[in-house]
Amino acid sequence: MNEKRFILTEDIINMEEVTNKVIRREAGAVTTFTGTVREFTKSKRTLYLEYDAYVPMAEKKLEQIGDEINEKWPDSMVAITHRIGRLEISDIAVVIAVSTPHRRDAYEANEYAIERIKEIVPIWKKEHWEDGEMWIGDQLEKKSYPTGKPEQEDLV
Amino acid sequence: MNEKRFILTEDIINMEEVTNKVIRREAGAVTTFTGTVREFTKSKRTLYLEYDAYVPMAEKKLEQIGDEINEKWPDSMVAITHRIGRLEISDIAVVIAVSTPHRRDAYEANEYAIERIKEIVPIWKKEHWEDGEMWIGDQLEKKSYPTGKPEQEDLV
Amino acid sequence: MITVLFFAHLQDAVGQEKVIMDKAPISIADLKKELVELYSLPGLENVMFAINEEYATGDDLVNDGDTVALIPPVSGG
Amino acid sequence: MITVLFFAHLQDAVGQEKVIMDKAPISIADLKKELVELYSLPGLENVMFAINEEYATGDDLVNDGDTVALIPPVSGG
């Protein structure tokens, strides 16, 4: 497998291309998560988004998520593409594809991937509304680092 | 929405086409399940498969699954395409796409759909091996109908 | 007249995709007994029945013009 | 020399993508204090730090030639 399975890109994401990276003879189940730009967040209307990223570290962290999934679900294969730059409503921001021999694992591992992306991958979203714009912080709204350092379980 | 969202087909399934049926401005999460033909089932090597179906009833039942999901996950939208006829290893047998405003629901509803397909949709798989062939019965291996009738909870 | 449809291994066992029978009205339970006898089918314990594309129970009545389908355990997906 | 990278709202606050500083060796905790003072940044309580693309803790030491990144709460996906 020569193609890169964990990438950031400024181009439109083709979900089938990402999914094809994980289709294998021995894996009967593939889940693909497609995250698109939603028009309304809590009744606030988004015009468009911008994603910024610390690109080399983000790709490393995506790869780390793939490794974590291989540990937890041994026969799995993962590919993740995240877009950066300006995105319009309904544009695809992220595609996560996971193949496993059995379907239960494919759902669980895929959901694990998106949760981890929102925890450890250095990508930031700026929402643009009619009346302003803002960098969106911690979507999980449950982490803070009073010691200035993340705890071990957040990183590994 | 004029295109049919619950179909059986003899043609190759395009997963992006199925997924695009459920992408909406108000839904930020889309899960796509792709079921492919696996080469090995418990160390037995499959050469190819054939799917037979009671087509009009199967499409009705897929639609029923969509209705059930709309009940359980109110803001969801579902599309399912199942292929019939002869399929080779790694060919796509089924694609299920579910969009919801929030991702948790998209995973849950999608998994619900594949479970229900394996319970109520009249489609049958014939496995062809090097040394024979067989219609595959109840994959769930947990249902039997001693009274000749399914129970209410199995059907609704 | 009623139409009876067979699928998968039942189609192989019966040797036909469908048969037309002059049995209406008849309950699903009684029709099942007739079919088992007529085609020397094994018990059909885990076979469901549908009338006009909806699952039916043993008490349901098949009327003239109805289409009945024998649905062995499904294996799609 | 160390390179310090800023992203998202911190980049806006500092007005630069990166700065070069002559502070090595220095702990992350100490570097953080310096940066808060230098750029009048709010507390940075929920900002993580990375050294050479790996998350670091306050005790970790930044050496000459290292690249440090300030990682505000991420919002990808």
Side-chain angles (χ1 to χ4, degrees):
Chain A
M1 186 82 35
N2 270 328
E3 56 198 341
K4 280 185 70 180
R5 286 189 287 114
F6 303 95
I7 56 172
L8 267 62
T9 178
E10 299 200 4
D11 301 331
I12 289 174
I13 305 178
N14 181 323
M15 65 168 297
E16 193 158 22
E17 205 177 293
V18 180
T19 304
N20 283 340
K21 291 180 187 174
V22 304
I23 288 185
R24 300 167 290 158
R25 300 172 75 82
E26 63 271 31
V30 187
T31 50
T32 307
F33 176 82
T34 306
T36 60
V37 177
R38 206 170 45 193
E39 184 169 20
F40 287 95
T41 304
K42 291 172 189 150
S43 83
K44 211 168 162 80
R45 184 165 173 231
T46 299
L47 298 180
Y48 65 96
L49 292 185
E50 266 177 291
Y51 279 100
D52 186 19
Y54 183 12
V55 176
M57 180 168 170
E59 291 189 340
K60 258 193 198 172
K61 289 293 146 189
L62 291 178
E63 206 168 327
Q64 177 187 321
I65 293 169
D67 291 343
E68 290 174 10
I69 289 174
N70 290 151
E71 286 271 313
K72 286 172 189 278
W73 293 275
D75 287 320
S76 58
M77 186 168 178
V78 185
I80 305 175
T81 300
H82 201 300
R83 193 166 160 198
I84 51 176
R86 176 177 167 141
L87 277 78
E88 310 297 328
I89 305 303
S90 283
D91 275 359
I92 296 175
V94 62
V95 171
I96 303 166
V98 180
S99 68
T100 59
H102 300 285
R103 66 181 181 282
R104 187 84 260 269
D105 294 344
Y107 286 105
E108 282 182 7
N110 198 305
E111 192 168 7
Y112 177 85
I114 182 72
E115 298 296 333
R116 288 298 274 159
I117 287 173
K118 289 171 185 290
E119 282 169 4
I120 66 164
V121 181
I123 300 176
W124 299 273
K125 175 165 75 175
K126 190 182 205 170
E127 296 215 349
H128 291 257
W129 305 294
E130 273 159 338
D131 59 349
E133 56 184 49
M134 193 166 88
W135 286 105
I136 304 301
D138 190 356
Q139 293 175 297
L140 299 170
E141 281 164 17
K142 66 186 191 197
K143 294 268 186 292
S144 85
Y145 305 100
T147 59
K149 55 186 179 190
E151 307 304 326
Q152 200 54 22
E153 69 266 27
D154 292 324
L155 304 181
V156 178
Chain B
M1 183 83 34
N2 271 326
E3 57 198 342
K4 279 185 75 183
R5 286 189 287 115
F6 303 96
I7 58 173
L8 269 64
T9 178
E10 299 199 6
D11 301 331
I12 290 174
I13 304 177
N14 180 322
M15 65 167 300
E16 193 158 22
E17 205 177 291
V18 180
T19 304
N20 283 340
K21 292 180 188 175
V22 304
I23 288 185
R24 300 167 290 158
R25 299 171 76 82
E26 64 271 31
V30 186
T31 51
T32 306
F33 176 83
T34 307
T36 60
V37 177
R38 205 170 48 197
E39 184 168 20
F40 287 94
T41 304
K42 291 170 189 151
S43 82
K44 207 164 165 87
R45 185 167 172 232
T46 298
L47 298 180
Y48 65 95
L49 292 186
E50 267 177 290
Y51 280 101
D52 186 18
Y54 182 11
V55 176
M57 182 170 169
E59 292 189 338
K60 259 193 197 172
K61 290 293 144 190
L62 291 178
E63 207 169 327
Q64 176 186 324
I65 292 170
D67 291 343
E68 289 173 10
I69 289 174
N70 289 152
E71 286 271 315
K72 287 172 189 280
W73 293 275
D75 287 320
S76 58
M77 188 166 176
V78 186
I80 305 174
T81 299
H82 200 299
R83 191 164 161 201
I84 51 177
R86 177 177 167 142
L87 276 77
E88 311 297 328
I89 306 301
S90 283
D91 276 358
I92 296 176
V94 63
V95 171
I96 303 166
V98 179
S99 69
T100 58
H102 300 286
R103 66 183 181 281
R104 185 87 261 265
D105 293 343
Y107 287 105
E108 282 183 7
N110 198 305
E111 191 167 7
Y112 177 85
I114 183 71
E115 297 297 333
R116 288 298 274 159
I117 287 173
K118 290 173 184 291
E119 281 170 5
I120 66 163
V121 181
I123 300 175
W124 299 273
K125 174 165 75 175
K126 191 180 204 171
E127 297 214 348
H128 292 257
W129 305 295
E130 273 158 337
D131 60 350
E133 57 185 45
M134 192 166 87
W135 286 105
I136 304 300
D138 188 358
Q139 291 174 298
L140 300 169
E141 283 165 17
K142 67 185 190 198
K143 293 269 186 293
S144 86
Y145 306 98
T147 58
K149 55 187 177 188
E151 306 306 324
Q152 200 54 21
E153 68 266 29
D154 292 326
L155 306 181
V156 178
Chain C
M1 307 295 261
I2 59 174
T3 305
V4 181
L5 306 177
F6 303 99
F7 295 96
H9 70 88
L10 291 176
Q11 193 173 97
D12 296 345
V14 171
Q16 296 185 76
E17 281 183 42
K18 68 173 159 184
V19 296
I20 310 291
M21 298 174 84
D22 189 8
K23 295 281 179 185
I26 187 173
S27 73
I28 286 290
D30 288 342
L31 177 63
K32 181 170 166 173
K33 276 183 220 145
E34 297 246 7
L35 292 169
V36 166
E37 205 163 299
L38 198 56
Y39 298 105
S40 319
L41 295 174
L44 302 185
E45 282 81 10
N46 53 7
V47 171
M48 292 198 273
F49 280 72
I51 303 175
N52 302 330
E53 301 168 11
E54 283 300 337
Y55 286 108
T57 65
D59 299 333
D60 285 326
L61 209 62
V62 184
N63 291 305
D64 206 45
D66 284 351
T67 297
V68 173
L70 278 68
I71 316 274
V74 304
S75 52
Chain D
M1 308 294 262
I2 59 174
T3 304
V4 182
L5 306 178
F6 302 100
F7 296 96
H9 70 89
L10 290 176
Q11 193 173 98
D12 296 345
V14 171
Q16 296 186 76
E17 280 183 42
K18 68 174 161 185
V19 296
I20 311 291
M21 299 174 85
D22 190 8
K23 297 282 180 183
I26 186 174
S27 74
I28 286 289
D30 288 342
L31 177 62
K32 181 170 164 174
K33 277 185 219 139
E34 298 247 6
L35 291 169
V36 165
E37 207 163 300
L38 198 56
Y39 298 104
S40 317
L41 295 175
L44 300 183
E45 282 81 11
N46 53 8
V47 171
M48 293 198 273
F49 280 71
I51 303 175
N52 302 330
E53 303 169 8
E54 283 298 337
Y55 286 107
T57 65
D59 299 334
D60 285 327
L61 209 62
V62 184
N63 291 305
D64 207 44
D66 284 350
T67 297
V68 174
L70 278 68
I71 316 275
V74 304
S75 52

